[in-house]
Amino acid sequence: MKHLKTLCAWVLTLAVALSVFALPASAANTQKKDFRAVWVSTIYNLDYPSSATTDPAKLKAEANEILDNCVELGMTAVILQVRPSGDALYDSDIFPWSKYLTGSQGTAPSGNFDPLEYWVAEAHKRGLELHAWINPYRVTRSGASDYNSLSADNPALLHPEWVVKHSDGNYYLDPGIPEVRQLVVNGAAEIVQNYDVDGIHLDDYFYPGTNFDDADTYAKYGAGFSNIDDWRRNNVNLLIQELDSTLHKLDPDISFGVSPFGIWANSSSMTGGSNTNGNQTYFSHYADTRKWVKEGWLDYICPQIYWEIGHSLADYKTLAYWWADVVKGTDVELYIGMADYKAGNSSASSPWYGIKAIEDQLALNAQIPEITGEVHFRYKFLYSVSGLEDLYKKTYASSSEPEQPSDKPDGNTVVKQYSSQDKKGSWTLYGNGTWEFLINGKAATGWQLIDNTYYWFGQDGKMATGWQKLDGVWYYLKDWGGMATGWQKLDGVWYYLKDWGGMATGWQYLDGKWYYLRDWGGMAVDWVKDGDTWYWMNGSGAMVSNGWQLIRGKWYYFYQSGAMAANTVTPDGYQVDVSGAWI
């Protein structure tokens, strides 16, 4: 391992330091929700791909179109369904290729094309997060016809003792079997280990109903529980806990979340429940979603509040405030699942006529600080429902730019003035959208410390933003001008800016972990070769060490230093070849 050299102290020379000055509010970003996402469904080819195909060119073209449109709509993330039904839209050693992708379960796309790898790379190029959406227990969606077409390597066929046929005609893995829960955890871990996804996302499918045929499983594993309902809830709790623990060990920065049915429990049934009278996921799916939040087992919760404001049994406003109260005081983010698919009803008497119901919900969300994001179901409805496309471009895309004063068409506008002792300063906004800072009537240049934040002004007095190379060092100035420090995600790539603003490269030891920043500053999240030695940087960018790692279907051993073992026998007695792979 290459050791870091001790950094010499570097002090910026300031022309003027005016600690009382602050950037005017009109130059800061307008308030908006941080997470703006859309579900992209793959089951039944609802959103992607439009029809099953093995052709990489078609799969790439459709992915590009969806991602480009999401950017235009102002979305910040895409939640892609990668395991719709006991299968995979990625190269998995656990689950077979999905029939919704290629037409036949177990059939791979041509040319070794991996859709998830492509979606992640293309999303990050566009500055979008990519979350992998999995259904944990579903084996079939169309009953016996699906079951009879399962690939021979499907876990449901390899382990028929794990499978229950439900009264709806479909087949499910039994959540009460420990090996089944481990299968789900291993499947999610495989994604995080092999792909640079930003999150793992579960939908609202846990137990499919109260009449699930698992009496034998309860008899075998239910000791200590007085009733089958509490045992089932505990099984789902164990899955969530195990996913939380495993995924964050692999990648501390991964975002793990669940999108459950919108009602935890009605107040008439459970103390602490919502003032509603609808179906309750606590009883129907055995999902104790409120507990998951209170215990901190999730990074976010995304309840599907698929009713309008004023609904007689499940009022959107009531539920939005109830969920806001649930996350209050926790570190779990609250995103709301929005029913875009209901909008555009043709009946003028329907609460979902046109898009007013969605507009009203967005306005309410903006008033509730605990709601930090929205997820829309689903992609194609944003274009098939008249008015939704324009609504999101107006609400989301336009809000990503700083709000500017309305009286700036010509010349310049003095936005706000400040004074401190004998120095007077003012922020000035010019008609072309640039800012300058005047000190005693003279434009500031170079570095300026204003309200404890560094800004850079060129020789023309204009405030700089974005990447700037100054005296041979790269700095990043945020869109409102402030110098960035610490970790920054820019256009889908992580960079580290040192305490004094300079962009870091090479090996960096940060918060007890080693990271490698490429020569151009981007954080490595893959193999790194330093001299003749290989290192593996996981999905969070941290160097792995001291043990075995499963990487793209092969096992590798890494020493305490992080160096990969190659062409040798590992300390625990296994042979690895010249590439480092276990033989």
Side-chain angles (χ1 to χ4, degrees):
M1 171 66 66
K2 180 168 59 178
H3 295 287
L4 297 175
K5 296 180 180 179
T6 303
L7 293 174
C8 297
W10 185 84
V11 181
L12 293 172
T13 302
L14 301 174
V16 179
L18 301 175
S19 62
V20 298
F21 294 154
L23 189 66
S26 56
N29 279 342
T30 55
Q31 183 178 1
K32 60 181 183 295
K33 300 304 180 184
D34 298 322
F35 193 78
R36 308 183 298 276
V38 59
W39 279 295
V40 175
S41 298
T42 58
I43 197 163
Y44 294 140
N45 304 110
L46 293 175
D47 291 321
Y48 177 85
S50 58
S51 60
T53 179
T54 60
D55 185 355
K58 293 181 180 178
L59 294 170
K60 290 179 181 180
E62 288 194 15
N64 290 340
E65 180 181 5
I66 292 172
L67 291 168
D68 286 342
N69 287 340
C70 286
V71 171
E72 287 188 5
L73 292 173
M75 299 297 169
T76 62
V78 169
I79 300 177
L80 175 67
Q81 191 176 33
V82 300
R83 197 185 311 148
S85 188
D87 49 10
L89 273 82
Y90 55 94
D91 190 5
S92 172
D93 291 332
I94 302 174
F95 297 94
W97 286 101
S98 175
K99 73 171 186 178
Y100 302 111
L101 179 70
T102 61
S104 176
Q105 191 173 99
T107 299
S110 301
N112 296 318
F113 175 66
D114 189 322
L116 181 54
E117 183 178 52
Y118 186 81
W119 273 83
V120 170
E122 293 301 312
H124 289 174
K125 283 181 184 177
R126 294 163 172 82
L128 294 168
E129 294 184 14
L130 196 289
H131 293 234
W133 164 18
I134 64 177
N135 183 288
Y137 295 124
R138 186 169 60 202
V139 176
T140 68
R141 193 69 175 85
S142 299
S145 62
D146 267 5
Y147 189 81
N148 293 333
S149 65
L150 295 180
S151 174
D153 58 348
N154 191 298
L157 294 187
L158 295 175
H159 297 278
E161 71 277 10
W162 293 354
V163 179
V164 172
K165 183 178 181 180
H166 189 48
S167 59
D168 64 1
N170 282 302
Y171 295 80
Y172 298 86
L173 297 175
D174 189 341
I177 299 175
E179 290 82 1
V180 166
R181 293 195 298 272
Q182 192 60 52
L183 174 75
V184 177
V185 172
N186 290 346
E190 180 186 46
I191 295 173
V192 172
Q193 286 179 309
N194 295 339
Y195 300 91
D196 186 24
V197 295
D198 299 283
I200 294 293
H201 179 93
L202 269 62
D203 52 27
D204 58 339
Y205 288 92
F206 296 101
Y207 278 89
T210 58
N211 60 340
F212 192 70
D213 186 11
D214 58 350
D216 291 342
T217 311
Y218 177 51
K220 184 175 182 178
Y221 296 106
F225 291 89
S226 60
N227 63 76
I228 196 171
D229 294 341
D230 288 342
W231 171 74
R232 286 173 174 171
R233 269 184 290 274
N234 185 64
N235 293 332
V236 182
N237 288 346
L238 288 173
L239 174 70
I240 300 301
Q241 286 179 276
E242 290 163 5
L243 282 168
D244 173 47
S245 174
T246 299
L247 297 178
H248 288 107
K249 283 179 182 176
L250 292 172
D251 181 355
D253 294 325
I254 199 73
S255 184
F256 169 51
V258 179
S259 179
F261 183 76
I263 300 175
W264 170 68
N266 301 317
S267 58
S268 58
S269 301
M270 290 282 289
T271 300
S274 53
N275 186 22
T276 51
N277 289 290
N279 191 20
Q280 307 162 91
T281 194
Y282 181 88
F283 297 105
S284 60
H285 298 303
Y286 303 96
D288 194 352
T289 52
R290 183 178 183 275
K291 182 180 180 67
W292 305 345
V293 172
K294 296 301 186 182
E295 295 291 341
W297 297 339
L298 304 173
D299 294 301
Y300 69 86
I301 189 85
C302 180
Q304 299 170 20
I305 308 182
Y306 287 174
W307 305 275
E308 70 274 9
I309 295 173
H311 190 283
S312 60
L313 300 179
D315 172 39
Y316 181 98
K317 183 175 182 179
T318 297
L319 284 164
Y321 275 105
W322 184 88
W323 278 106
D325 185 65
V326 169
V327 302
K328 192 175 296 183
T330 74
D331 61 357
V332 178
E333 299 288 340
L334 173 58
Y335 310 146
I336 302 297
M338 308 281 289
D340 296 79
Y341 72 97
K342 286 188 172 182
N345 191 291
S346 59
S347 172
S349 62
S350 169
W352 293 95
Y353 179 72
I355 62 171
K356 188 177 186 305
I358 295 289
E359 289 179 302
D360 291 345
Q361 291 171 348
L362 291 175
L364 177 64
N365 293 350
Q367 298 173 19
I368 304 175
E370 288 81 12
I371 298 176
T372 55
E374 292 138 356
V375 185
H376 300 276
F377 188 81
R378 53 184 170 78
Y379 169 74
K380 282 191 177 178
F381 287 105
L382 305 190
Y383 287 91
S384 63
V385 175
S386 178
L388 284 183
E389 178 184 357
D390 290 339
L391 173 64
Y392 294 129
K393 285 181 178 179
K394 176 182 177 182
T395 306
Y396 289 157
S398 62
S399 68
S400 63
E401 298 297 328
E403 182 183 354
Q404 303 293 355
S406 59
D407 57 345
K408 70 170 187 66
D410 300 306
N412 62 76
T413 302
V414 176
V415 178
K416 195 170 184 179
Q417 294 186 343
Y418 303 85
S419 63
S420 175
Q421 298 177 359
D422 61 332
K423 296 182 174 67
K424 294 182 179 180
S426 63
W427 282 102
T428 301
L429 174 66
Y430 280 79
N432 61 2
T434 60
W435 290 89
E436 72 174 15
F437 190 75
L438 303 179
I439 302 172
N440 294 334
K442 183 179 179 180
T445 59
W447 287 109
Q448 302 290 334
L449 180 63
I450 305 171
D451 195 24
N452 298 317
T453 300
Y454 286 109
Y455 299 80
W456 173 264
F457 298 87
Q459 292 302 309
D460 59 357
K462 301 301 184 291
M463 182 189 77
T465 60
W467 286 107
Q468 300 291 328
K469 192 172 186 180
L470 307 170
D471 295 328
V473 177
W474 283 101
Y475 300 83
Y476 185 78
L477 291 310
K478 298 181 182 180
D479 55 2
W480 48 271
M483 183 186 76
T485 60
W487 287 109
Q488 301 289 326
K489 192 173 187 180
L490 307 169
D491 294 327
V493 177
W494 284 100
Y495 299 82
Y496 186 79
L497 289 310
K498 300 178 184 179
D499 291 344
W500 47 273
M503 183 188 76
T505 60
W507 290 104
Q508 301 289 329
Y509 190 67
L510 305 166
D511 296 326
K513 298 177 182 178
W514 284 101
Y515 298 84
Y516 188 81
L517 290 308
R518 307 287 187 186
D519 291 344
W520 47 274
M523 181 187 76
V525 288
D526 207 312
W527 289 105
V528 166
K529 189 176 185 181
D530 187 8
D532 294 326
T533 304
W534 285 97
Y535 302 85
W536 175 255
M537 322 305 287
N538 65 20
S540 69
M543 182 194 77
V544 302
S545 63
N546 197 30
W548 290 97
Q549 293 287 326
L550 179 62
I551 302 172
R552 300 191 179 114
K554 296 181 180 180
W555 286 98
Y556 298 83
Y557 186 87
F558 296 88
Y559 297 109
Q560 184 64 43
S561 66
M564 182 195 74
N567 198 28
T568 187
V569 176
T570 64
D572 51 355
Y574 294 91
Q575 180 73 40
V576 292
D577 63 19
V578 68
S579 73
W582 171 42
I583 300 175

